[in-house]
Amino acid sequence: MNVYGYVRVSSRDQNENRQLFALYELSVPMENVFVDKQSGKDFDRPAYRRMVNRMERNDLLYIKSIDRLGRNYGEILEQWRILTKEKGVDIVVLDMPLLDTRRGKDLMGTFLSDIVLQVLSFVAENERMNIRQRQAEGIAAAKARGVKFGRPALSYPDNFQSIHHDWRQKKITLRQAADACGMPVGTFYGKARKFENSV
């Protein structure tokens, strides 16, 4: 039996140390700890896929909480089924002792595990949807206050009008015009279109 640990954080700037420390305390070998730094909306994650491919029947997987496995209700249930039923792997969710497939292998234990898993999976997906809604509301509120998103637009250089004129008169190429203004070709072309629409 091999022991594995799975860690997931939603973005590169989030800290995975709390999850790693929990696995360290359980003496999970570090070469069997797999870490993904991406959203839990689906299971298309490189470290997770590598781990599942390595696992064999009777191996044991530790995860800190169900939302670290994922945040999509249907997909969490499907992955749980694949791991426990198809691959024959045991799973322990550290923050929820009822979700420990090593014990309660009888009908009642399985029934309780399934109910708890469904409730927690639903909560994980619901939280993901709430996060998206809060983000959308926050962006809308910021826009209403006049906050601008994205990079600030580059202003026209002093020589833009004359360069633009020469380019339109075919005295210089698009590339030469962009270089003369110190811009990428795409930026110069976009500015030219905007300039032409404003006059």
Side-chain angles (χ1 to χ4, degrees), residues 20-35:
L20 289 171
F21 185 71
L23 298 175
Y24 171 78
E25 290 209 306
L26 292 164
S27 301
V28 178
M30 286 317 291
E31 66 271 16
N32 287 353
V33 173
F34 291 80
V35 181

Side-chain angles (χ1 to χ4, degrees), residues 104 106-116:
D106 60 350
L107 186 61
M108 182 56 78
T110 303
F111 176 69
L112 279 174
S113 269
D114 285 351
I115 288 176
V116 172

Side-chain angles (χ1 to χ4, degrees), residues 8 10 14 39-41 65-68 70-73 76 118-136:
R8 185 187 66 79
S10 296
Q14 286 186 325
S39 165
K41 67 179 169 33
S65 58
I66 198 69
D67 65 345
R68 297 305 86 204
R71 286 189 179 273
N72 180 306
Y73 175 69
I76 291 172
Q118 292 205 27
V119 169
L120 290 178
S121 301
F122 173 77
V123 168
E125 177 164 13
N126 202 44
E127 178 59 16
R128 180 174 73 92
M129 290 167 66
N130 287 340
I131 288 168
R132 286 174 60 193
Q133 184 176 347
R134 287 194 296 267
Q135 285 173 335

Side-chain angles (χ1 to χ4, degrees), residues 7 9-10 12 15 22-23 27 46 66 142 153 160:
V7 171
V9 289
S10 296
R12 299 210 166 273
N15 195 319
L23 298 175
S27 301
I66 198 69
F160 185 83

Side-chain angles (χ1 to χ4, degrees), residues 53-70:
N53 287 337
R54 272 182 54 181
M55 286 174 144
E56 296 178 353
R57 182 163 296 279
N58 298 322
D59 284 348
L60 174 61
L61 171 63
Y62 286 109
I63 54 174
K64 183 81 171 95
S65 58
I66 198 69
D67 65 345
R68 297 305 86 204
L69 187 61

